[in-house]
Amino acid sequence: MKKIKVAIFGTGFMGRVHTESLRRLGNIEVVGVAGSTAQRARKFADEVGIERSVGDYRELLEDREIEAVHICSPNALHYEMTMRSLEHGKHVVCEKPLASTVAEAHEMIALAKTKGLANCTLYNIRSYPQLQNLRRMLENGDLGDIRIVQGAYSQDWLLFDTDWNWRVDSGSSRTFADIGTHWCDLAEHVTGLKITSLCADLQTFMKTRKRPKGSVETFKGKNLTPPADFDEVAINTEDFGSMIFKMGDVVRGSMTTSQVSAGRKNRLFLEIYGTKASAVWDGERPEELWIGHRNRSSELLIKDSTIFPEAAQSYSDLPGGHSEGYDATFKQTFRRFYRTVTERGAPIEYPTFEDGLRQLTLVDAVLESSKQQSWIRV
Ligand SMILES: NC(=O)c1ccc[n+]([C@@H]2O[C@H](COP(=O)([O-])OP(=O)(O)OC[C@H]3O[C@@H](n4cnc5c(N)ncnc54)[C@H](O)[C@@H]3O)[C@@H](O)[C@H]2O)c1
């Protein structure tokens, strides 16, 4: 079997998750990695067993054998790396948020289209088996008509002013762009509805943070012992956001998103209330789906794809009771992405740059709404 050769840009949390997940597919070979320096790239390459490493991603773009790239770098680099990769004829998987602005995302979409290249914005959470089960249950009308969509996405890793990451001084939105968009993408994907207007409020509790003099990688930066040597830096990105929204004339919803909620490690909570029944999914217990009834006992469904609606079954590779977690959502997304690389005309069953643009549009609306303290039509 001819393997598809791919490269990874970025050597942090996502660089590692992408590399491992790609290898699980069997038909992909990770042949190169680019880091912010040659030394960082080599260290990562040695740790995960990648032959080629470079300190400048543009070197890998000159390699004609590399068909696709995975952009796992900080957000501010997504646009430049994607545009250059597309110009060199590479298919692109780009981490979320897709770009720094809506205008950049439009350019990225236009170039991918002109070049006829596959493109993905990595809203991977959609690919949890129970969420695809829920999506199909909603399509089948198992919950009746949807009335209320609500939830939260909460983390605690930026709780203290000694917690630092490139995200805290990158872009105009932090918590909403970083994790709130995961929640919105999921809510829209699962329900098949769009947020049509919203009213949001963003809050930055810590107006300054202590930036260590030295680099910090994501989720390795949780400071049990705060840095002795730091710069006090003004912060403009939000720690917390809340939003009420409409999905058309009938459906109403609310959500909060936080990176300062002690004990909430990575809690994406989605609740859907219909005219017949309710459903709740908790990202920290992803194998379960709670179904609420009024006139009989509620149920806790345990993932078992053999009893899922047919369209959801292929999102699970293991028998019921054998957990498939966060990293499996990358494998599922990449499998569908590379199917469209190898089979022209295969259905696009993954989030594309268009979905990335959609979320940036929501980020803009949230920022505008919070600034004006009023409703914004999306
Ligand atoms: N889909 C998800 O669930 C998910 C989860 C976490 C992060 N992300 C996204 O992934 C991206 C990376 O986040 P992360 O958490 O891995 O951050 P990270 O800080 O752990 O890793 C970023 C890496 O990029 C490297 N880098 C910086 N400049 C570079 C350059 N010029 N060339 C090559 N590499 C460079 C850094 O050295 C670092 O290794 C972000 O866009 C983030 O929003 C997505």
Side-chain angles (χ1 to χ4, degrees):
M1 183 214 296
K2 182 181 166 282
K3 291 199 174 186
I4 302 169
K5 293 189 161 78
V6 310
I8 305 283
F9 298 167
T11 55
F13 175 33
M14 279 305 106
R16 188 175 292 267
V17 171
H18 282 232
T19 303
E20 289 176 358
S21 305
L22 283 166
R23 286 173 170 163
R24 294 176 73 187
L25 296 181
N27 62 338
I28 309 292
E29 191 184 353
V30 181
V31 295
V33 61
S36 54
T37 64
Q39 292 77 1
R40 280 205 185 128
R42 192 63 249 154
K43 183 170 175 288
F44 178 87
D46 287 341
E47 280 168 14
V48 302
I50 297 175
E51 199 159 312
R52 190 165 173 210
S53 63
V54 296
D56 183 339
Y57 73 95
R58 290 173 296 187
E59 282 180 48
L60 294 175
L61 295 180
E62 299 302 329
D63 185 338
R64 288 168 160 267
E65 294 217 312
I66 293 175
E67 289 185 53
V69 299
H70 285 240
I71 297 174
C72 303
S73 53
N75 306 345
L77 293 169
H78 291 182
Y79 168 75
E80 174 202 304
M81 285 181 160
T82 297
M83 294 300 277
R84 286 217 167 102
S85 302
L86 292 171
E87 276 156 13
H88 281 78
K90 315 294 184 199
H91 303 286
V92 176
V93 174
C94 184
E95 267 301 345
K96 41 54 59 180
L98 178 61
S100 301
T101 65
V102 162
E104 286 179 356
H106 277 295
E107 283 183 52
M108 292 154 93
I109 290 168
L111 188 55
K113 199 169 171 192
T114 307
K115 295 277 186 181
L117 293 164
N119 55 90
C120 170
T121 309
L122 210 55
Y123 284 110
N124 54 298
I125 295 174
R126 296 177 177 197
S127 296
Y128 274 107
Q130 277 295 22
L131 289 168
Q132 289 299 322
N133 182 29
L134 172 58
R135 176 181 171 216
R136 301 305 179 180
M137 287 173 69
L138 288 165
E139 272 178 8
N140 293 342
D142 294 358
L143 271 59
D145 296 329
I146 298 171
R147 285 177 171 158
I148 305 165
V149 179
Q150 64 189 58
Y153 196 163
S154 310
Q155 300 177 335
D156 71 359
W157 65 296
L158 295 172
L159 176 61
F160 303 124
D161 72 349
T162 45
D163 294 324
W164 183 267
N165 182 266
W166 54 261
R167 287 164 174 82
V168 303
D169 67 351
S170 166
S172 42
S173 162
R174 184 218 318 157
T175 306
F176 196 89
D178 194 30
I179 58 174
T181 61
H182 261 308
W183 190 93
C184 293
D185 176 77
L186 189 62
E188 294 193 332
H189 176 71
V190 166
T191 62
L193 302 170
K194 292 279 180 227
I195 294 172
T196 48
S197 54
L198 60 85
C199 183
D201 181 59
L202 304 178
Q203 175 65 306
T204 307
F205 297 110
M206 284 158 279
K207 308 293 184 205
T208 64
R209 282 179 182 261
K210 296 174 172 48
R211 180 175 61 202
K213 292 185 174 169
S215 77
V216 184
E217 284 205 342
T218 304
F219 301 121
K220 288 186 187 148
K222 192 172 283 183
N223 283 317
L224 299 182
T225 43
D229 206 7
F230 58 81
D231 294 314
E232 193 86 27
V233 178
I235 301 298
N236 298 313
T237 59
E238 78 279 4
D239 298 310
F240 172 84
S242 60
M243 166 171 97
I244 52 173
F245 59 85
K246 302 180 187 182
M247 292 174 130
D249 291 338
V250 177
V251 181
R252 296 292 179 266
S254 67
M255 63 86 79
T256 61
T257 184
S258 166
Q259 290 178 323
V260 294
S261 297
R264 296 304 190 196
K265 301 302 168 189
N266 191 44
R267 186 173 188 260
L268 193 160
F269 203 69
L270 179 67
E271 300 174 84
I272 297 174
Y273 297 97
T275 50
K276 287 204 286 198
S278 319
V280 175
W281 184 81
D282 176 352
E284 289 183 341
R285 307 177 69 90
E287 298 273 295
E288 300 174 357
L289 183 66
W290 182 85
I291 303 295
H293 300 288
R294 202 190 72 155
N295 290 352
R296 62 184 170 94
S297 296
S298 297
E299 308 162 273
L300 188 63
L301 311 185
I302 306 299
K303 181 210 73 186
D304 178 353
S305 66
T306 53
I307 50 176
F308 279 0
E310 202 180 335
Q313 289 180 1
S314 67
Y315 282 83
S316 168
D317 291 342
L318 302 180
H322 297 75
S323 57
E324 290 167 295
Y326 177 73
D327 47 2
T329 64
F330 289 81
K331 178 186 69 174
Q332 293 293 348
T333 311
F334 297 161
R335 177 183 290 157
R336 287 164 176 78
F337 178 79
Y338 282 101
R339 196 175 296 145
T340 64
V341 169
T342 55
E343 289 171 39
R344 280 190 91 81
I348 295 176
E349 295 174 327
Y350 53 84
T352 63
F353 283 2
E354 291 281 356
D355 297 285
L357 167 64
R358 166 71 188 161
Q359 291 311 314
L360 291 175
T361 307
L362 286 179
V363 170
D364 272 5
V366 162
L367 285 165
E368 189 59 23
S369 171
S370 182
K371 196 166 129 202
Q372 291 184 14
Q373 292 285 292
S374 67
W375 280 88
I376 299 285
R377 214 175 270 279
V378 181

